[in-house]
Amino acid sequence: MTTTSRAATLPNGVTSGQRLRRVLQAMRIGMTPMLGGYWVIMVLGFLLAGLVIQFVSDGDNHSIWDYGTQSPKYFSLAVGITIGPAFFTSMISLGITRRMFSVAASVFLLGAATGTALLWVLVYQIEHVIYAWQGWTQAFANPHLFTSTSQVGLIFTEFFLLVLSHEVAGWLTGLAFMRFGVWKGLLLLPVTLLPAAAAEFLLVAQWLAEAIANSGYHRPSLAVAVPGVLAVSALGLYAGYLMIRSFGVRPTKG
């Protein structure tokens, strides 16, 4: 006599899509203070303080907002580092699969990169209006993919790709420290930071651009650079999943 077992199903009629949305909601709630606080500080710090500097100096013909372009990259690195240690143990303990956790983290990081890039686009436009009103020149302190704030698509592309790649580098770094410990995590930094390094060399924009250009290296065409950054970032997100696929949840102490 043979018996058949029923396929496992999610409890209470919960679908995979519903569970994924709940995981994303938990990540959004947990990360909102970090992301929201950063966005508010950046806007207030560079717009308000920047305007004061411009009025006092009678306009120095430079975009004050542009001086903060390196900030979203390194903050996004911290966001990526935080996701794994902050949510992995609790989510897996609640029955979330490692694959679903990785998918949710990827969707969240994409959303955070989109939000940060849109913020930079918006504030450049606001600054442009203020500068035009005062007769100031909105010159950029750093090299960019764009040369004018009217090139909205290039502004968004630059910041989205740089932020996303640094988030992915942080995602890999956080997972490496979580799984392998401090010393092995430090040794793996040259590998886990590869997505961020690849984006810097493919885009050659912002404060590292001049140093890279002085070495004789030149940015490839955007037709190569943009898909290249997206491909490296996608591989980084998948590598993070491979890193935690067989990683067991350690029991909570105390």
Side-chain angles (χ1 to χ4, degrees), residues 97-183:
T97 65
R98 287 157 178 77
R99 178 180 298 177
M100 183 174 290
F101 175 78
S102 297
V103 170
S106 300
V107 173
F108 177 83
L109 293 177
L110 282 167
T114 300
T116 301
L118 287 174
L119 175 67
W120 248 255
V121 169
L122 175 63
V123 180
Y124 267 127
Q125 306 314 308
I126 295 173
E127 187 185 63
H128 174 75
V129 171
I130 296 173
Y131 274 46
W133 171 46
Q134 290 295 319
W136 298 333
T137 302
Q138 195 184 20
F140 301 124
N142 300 295
H144 293 285
L145 301 183
F146 55 92
T147 57
S148 168
T149 53
S150 63
Q151 297 172 305
V152 172
L154 288 178
I155 298 175
F156 177 84
T157 298
E158 176 183 320
F159 283 94
F160 174 77
L161 293 177
L162 285 172
V163 168
L164 177 63
S165 61
H166 282 73
E167 286 177 342
V168 174
W171 158 253
L172 290 173
T173 300
L175 294 181
F177 275 87
M178 185 178 71
R179 173 159 186 175
F180 301 113
V182 174
W183 298 113

Side-chain angles (χ1 to χ4, degrees), residues 31 34 74-87 109 166-178 189 192-193:
M31 297 297 292
M34 183 176 181
Y74 305 124
F75 175 78
S76 298
L77 188 69
V79 170
I81 290 173
T82 302
I83 288 289
F87 296 100
L109 293 177
H166 282 73
E167 286 177 342
V168 174
W171 158 253
L172 290 173
T173 300
L175 294 181
F177 275 87
M178 185 178 71
L189 280 177
T192 60
L193 294 178

Side-chain angles (χ1 to χ4, degrees), residues 9-30:
T9 57
L10 296 174
N12 301 323
V14 177
T15 65
S16 296
Q18 289 171 329
R19 180 166 288 192
L20 178 61
R21 286 194 294 271
R22 291 181 183 180
V23 175
L24 284 169
Q25 183 182 25
M27 289 182 175
R28 179 184 60 79
I29 293 172

